[in-house]
Amino acid sequence: MHLLAIVAHPDDAAIFCGGTLAKHADRGDRVTVAHMTRGEYGGLGSQSEAAVAETREAEARAAGEVLGVDDVTFLDFEDGRVTDSLANRLLLVDVLREHDPDLVLTHFRDDMHPDHRATAGLVTDAYYMASLPLCETDHPPCDPDNVYHFGKPTSSFEPETFVDVSDHLDRKLDALERHESQVEFLVEHGGIDAEFDNLAESLRAEGLVLGKQAGCTAAEGFVPLHETARDYLD
């Protein structure tokens, strides 16, 4: 199986689905994380956008190693400026076709961050179009089985599919620690991303709460585009 996570920013994979990625990697699945942006707006003003992007790319690659990710890639969209356009939709169609995944993970459509919302729309629409032979891009059509959306607890996101990550929660938090610049940024940012103050503690608590709903110690939750309920996302 090939699991492809398409995320807006370098720390999103660890935050939203790090346990699930690690679990699939551990059972031998191929796992890819494609980042829409390098997160160059995620700085406190003391560095240039280019310097922030370089730091965040390195952090994402280090986090990917912790999670066991096979491929960490960047799609070169601009942070804070991802738009849901036809041209970008076709770019995402070709991304899906290039990687030819069985399953896709991405953001939930209702989210405060505009990049998250735009990414959710682009991926969902590209998923629909990726199998169409007359929609021509650089790579041949593919037909992923499903898209699973992850989201913030502050949105209308209500998980329907749960993955038991009891044995992988510590790895998720270890991967998060590789995003050192963002742990600091989210604390200093304050207010707007208040649910991520004390990020590691918040994510551990969220995992335990979702675990109670799922009947296990810790879980991550998703909303599937097509209804399924499995221990793994397959």
Side-chain angles (χ1 to χ4, degrees):
M1 171 191 280
H2 183 191
L3 189 70
L4 170 63
I6 301 179
V7 299
H9 308 104
D11 55 347
D12 287 335
I15 289 173
F16 292 110
C17 59
T20 298
L21 298 180
K23 182 172 184 175
H24 276 268
D26 279 358
R27 77 161 186 179
D29 291 337
R30 182 182 171 194
V31 178
T32 299
V33 179
H35 303 83
M36 298 287 284
T37 79
R38 286 177 166 79
E40 61 269 22
Y41 275 178
L44 296 171
S46 58
Q47 292 180 298
S48 66
E49 288 185 24
V52 171
E54 182 178 0
T55 295
R56 298 199 66 185
E57 178 175 342
E59 291 174 342
R61 295 190 185 281
E65 289 185 11
V66 171
L67 297 174
V69 171
D70 295 287
D71 185 21
V72 173
T73 187
F74 293 83
L75 304 181
D76 295 327
F77 286 81
E78 294 182 307
D79 191 12
R81 291 151 284 185
V82 179
T83 57
D84 190 348
S85 67
L86 177 58
N88 288 342
R89 183 190 307 166
L90 292 174
L91 286 174
L92 264 294
V93 168
D94 201 52
V95 168
L96 290 180
R97 290 174 170 180
E98 177 183 3
H99 291 283
D100 191 17
D102 296 290
L103 299 174
V104 181
L105 310 183
T106 197
H107 297 274
F108 188 61
R109 62 186 176 275
D110 177 17
D111 193 293
M112 184 182 298
H113 200 303
D115 285 349
H116 294 188
R117 295 196 303 271
T119 298
L122 287 168
V123 172
T124 303
D125 290 347
Y127 164 79
Y128 179 83
M129 296 180 65
S131 66
L132 303 178
L134 294 181
C135 177
E136 296 184 1
T137 66
D138 291 339
H139 296 86
C142 69
D143 190 14
D145 293 333
N146 208 348
V147 176
Y148 287 84
H149 298 278
F150 48 72
K152 288 187 178 184
T154 51
S155 74
S156 61
F157 178 72
E158 295 184 6
E160 300 170 14
T161 297
F162 297 90
V163 176
D164 182 350
V165 297
S166 304
D167 295 333
H168 298 85
L169 181 58
D170 287 339
R171 281 256 298 283
K172 171 191 176 96
L173 298 179
D174 190 13
L176 175 67
E177 289 180 2
R178 300 303 188 269
H179 294 281
E180 183 177 356
S181 70
Q182 291 314 288
V183 173
E184 177 186 1
F185 172 75
L186 289 171
V187 170
E188 294 295 328
H189 198 214
I192 293 175
D193 284 310
E195 78 273 15
F196 287 149
D197 288 349
N198 300 314
L199 183 55
E201 292 87 346
S202 296
L203 289 179
R204 182 179 292 278
E206 181 184 4
L208 297 177
V209 169
L210 292 174
K212 280 194 171 185
Q213 296 181 48
C216 58
T217 300
E220 290 178 335
F222 302 85
V223 174
L225 190 59
H226 305 299
E227 292 298 329
T228 60
R230 307 270 175 84
D231 184 40
Y232 286 91
L233 296 179
D234 60 356

